[in-house]
Amino acid sequence: MGYAPRRQEDVPAVMDAYCEALANVKIEGLDLLAEDHAFCLLLVETDIPVDVAIGLAQEYNRDVVARQKIAA
């Protein structure tokens, strides 16, 4: 993807975004599956920069919400 690895001091910001995403999904009355948590944690483990990780997490969570609303 052509980016420099994330700095370790940025990990808390990524985890904050992950926790915020979890809270937003719960506000919607939906639950994340184990695979959803795994995807979000993968963003942390791969050293993707914060701005890229947040964008990917937001896009993924929109897909989760859409998928669960369709199934309901």
Side-chain angles (χ1 to χ4, degrees), residues 18 31-42 60 67-68:
Y18 172 56
D31 294 312
L32 292 177
L33 305 173
E35 63 196 35
D36 302 325
H37 289 289
F39 172 77
C40 291
L41 293 174
L42 176 71
Y60 183 85
R67 178 180 70 220
Q68 290 187 13

Side-chain angles (χ1 to χ4, degrees), residues 23-58:
N24 289 337
V25 170
K26 288 187 184 287
I27 288 170
E28 292 285 335
L30 305 170
D31 294 312
L32 292 177
L33 305 173
E35 63 196 35
D36 302 325
H37 289 289
F39 172 77
C40 291
L41 293 174
L42 176 71
L43 296 177
V44 174
E45 294 171 1
T46 56
D47 291 334
I48 294 173
V50 175
D51 58 335
V52 176
I54 289 171
L56 291 171
Q58 289 171 337

